[in-house]
Amino acid sequence: MNHLSPRLLISAATAFAGLSEENAENEGWSAGAAPGIFDLTRHSLEGAEPAAWDAALVQHCGYWSHYDHRSEQSAWPVIAQPTADGLAEFGIQHRVLKEEPKEGDIFLQYSPSQQRFVRAGVIAQVRDKHRLTETTAYYDIHTIEGNVGPRGELGGLRTLRMARRMAPARGDRALRWADLDPYGVTPHSLVPDPRNVAWARRARMGA
Amino acid sequence: MKRTEKPRTKRLPYCPTGDSARAVESMWPMLERKIRHVAEEITDEPELQADLVQEAQIILWEVDPTRFDPRRFGEQAYLRRVLINRMWDVWRAEMARRGWGDELSGVLGD
């Protein structure tokens, strides 16, 4: 069985960078012919149909990066959440929501207007720490995010490696899942074998 | 052990990188007209107006517009309000620096 490793999550998420919902159209894949990559990530949420798929991508990468093929189990300790806000709630419950980011943490961006977390991604690199005032700091980070545009806008169609500013004073947080006990969190998220993609085909066909 | 050499190529791997700092470029045009109008309402002094607009740009960068969703109703208005409040703060500080704070406190009810 795998141990928890931030490196594994970063590697898995990085392999997704560049994939896009647009790509499927560009390549001429017809609807129903093959499951879209983001149908798979959404499926990691066990039936939930969120408007955004950033949290779904994190869950998909986390689960499969920690999957052990011999035991057919994943050590990924985060219970599937359909939204970034759900991940934050999970982090609060398990006391792993941090102000200071570390590589491999899950980045959670806060919106003061909506008063909730609106974005989730994987922190691939913490590049620098800056001070805005004596009491407030921000971090330059690289993240891997889904459902984002090239300028970091919400609701984009891509998965990108994103240069971003994490500002704890503005409410942003990092979910340090590697501090969790891989076998202590229940109920564990179970994702069906991706070889069985009939669900995705049916979803695309509207059946 | 036989060493393998990487084939030399000028073509770099596709690097799908975005930059959230560029969000200011796309958000500012949506806000600029209103912000300049408010600056003109706050003061008649062109130099102070320019300072207020510049302060609004700095605050826009600080708050990071990527945490706002311009497609949602009210998001732009919220962001605009944040910038305008900051402009008023800067103006009050400037008035206080000039020693006009006492007169303004009566006008603004502070």
Side-chain angles (χ1 to χ4, degrees), chain B residues 44-68:
Chain B
D44 293 332
E45 295 176 39
E47 278 184 16
L48 189 50
Q49 284 174 10
D51 285 349
L52 294 177
V53 171
Q54 191 177 31
E55 186 66 24
Q57 284 177 311
I58 291 167
I59 292 299
L60 180 62
W61 178 84
E62 268 187 33
V63 298
D64 186 357
T66 62
R67 65 182 80 242
F68 299 92

Side-chain angles (χ1 to χ4, degrees), chain A residues 17-18 109-114 116 118-119 132 138 142 150-155 159-165 167 170-172, chain B residues 14-27 59-69 71-72 74-75 78 82:
Chain A
Q109 189 182 39
Y110 186 76
S111 165
S113 55
Q114 298 181 43
R116 64 186 178 92
V118 291
R119 186 196 307 277
L132 272 178
Y138 70 88
H142 268 138
R151 294 181 176 188
E153 58 268 36
L154 290 161
T159 304
L160 292 173
R161 174 175 176 264
M162 183 65 60
R164 200 169 263 300
R165 212 160 1 106
R170 301 271 175 202
D172 300 342
Chain B
Y14 169 53
C15 185
T17 300
D19 189 350
S20 68
R22 288 174 55 209
V24 175
E25 297 166 20
S26 51
M27 189 62 93
I59 292 299
L60 180 62
W61 178 84
E62 268 187 33
V63 298
D64 186 357
T66 62
R67 65 182 80 242
F68 299 92
D69 188 349
R71 300 164 306 170
R72 282 174 65 100
E75 291 274 278
Y78 181 96
V82 169

Side-chain angles (χ1 to χ4, degrees), chain A residues 79-158:
Chain A
I79 295 172
Q81 305 291 336
T83 62
D85 211 43
L87 284 169
E89 203 168 307
F90 175 88
I92 291 167
Q93 280 172 6
H94 294 87
R95 299 178 182 180
V96 287
L97 209 59
K98 309 288 181 184
E99 291 197 359
E100 193 165 334
K102 264 172 84 172
E103 287 164 12
D105 286 352
I106 298 172
F107 167 64
L108 298 168
Q109 189 182 39
Y110 186 76
S111 165
S113 55
Q114 298 181 43
Q115 299 194 340
R116 64 186 178 92
F117 290 88
V118 291
R119 186 196 307 277
V122 175
I123 298 174
Q125 184 191 8
V126 180
R127 297 159 63 203
D128 212 348
K129 180 180 180 180
H130 302 277
R131 292 219 160 270
L132 272 178
T133 65
E134 275 187 21
T135 52
T136 58
Y138 70 88
Y139 300 86
D140 281 332
I141 58 175
H142 268 138
T143 57
I144 307 294
E145 294 172 20
N147 210 176
V148 69
R151 294 181 176 188
E153 58 268 36
L154 290 161
L157 297 174
R158 300 182 190 178

